[in-house]
Amino acid sequence: MKRRKPRRKRLTEDTVRSGEKFGYAKYRVNWFDIASDSGWASETEFDKMKLATPVSEGWLYSKDECVIKLFSSYDVEDDEIVFGERTVIPVSCVKSMKKIR
């Protein structure tokens, strides 16, 4: 069975620009990411290798048991919001998540 996406309300440019009824909260997400290196390294250098720990900030588009979806920019085209700088993070990689402002 195919899962339907939830319907989003159409937003007018004035509503989005004024910040009223935007419907998305802003978050800071600290998470773990893969680190890789294609060069040669000794055991000592390899032992020092650690995961990357990026910090992403943006509006929370959605969150479920598998992924968190953020966007960092948006625009309004034909009274509909469009999303930019989209990031999908596996929940299992999230170190912390805090609502901001």
Side-chain angles (χ1 to χ4, degrees):
M1 179 187 322
K2 192 172 182 179
R3 221 167 91 182
R4 287 184 68 176
K5 289 186 178 182
R7 288 187 145 190
R8 299 279 180 184
K9 290 183 180 178
R10 286 185 171 259
L11 303 171
T12 66
E13 187 170 348
D14 291 335
T15 301
V16 172
R17 303 258 186 251
S18 70
E20 297 173 26
K21 299 180 186 176
F22 185 54
Y24 299 100
K26 206 166 197 180
Y27 280 84
R28 176 177 293 123
V29 180
N30 295 284
W31 54 290
F32 298 106
D33 198 6
I34 295 168
S36 64
D37 183 1
S38 62
W40 296 100
S42 68
E43 285 184 13
T44 304
E45 292 170 319
F46 202 179
D47 289 340
K48 290 179 184 177
M49 196 171 184
K50 302 207 180 323
L51 291 170
T53 53
V55 177
S56 297
E57 286 188 9
W59 290 277
L60 181 65
Y61 178 76
S62 67
K63 178 183 176 188
D64 62 25
E65 63 278 351
C66 297
V67 297
I68 293 169
K69 294 182 180 182
L70 300 173
F71 62 96
S72 297
S73 61
Y74 63 90
D75 195 7
V76 177
E77 293 178 2
D78 300 323
D79 288 336
E80 188 171 29
I81 192 168
V82 291
F83 306 96
E85 300 176 62
R86 298 168 294 150
T87 304
V88 179
I89 303 169
V91 169
S92 61
C93 295
V94 174
K95 184 177 175 182
S96 65
M97 184 172 169
K98 182 179 179 182
K99 191 172 185 177
I100 54 178
R101 194 172 154 214

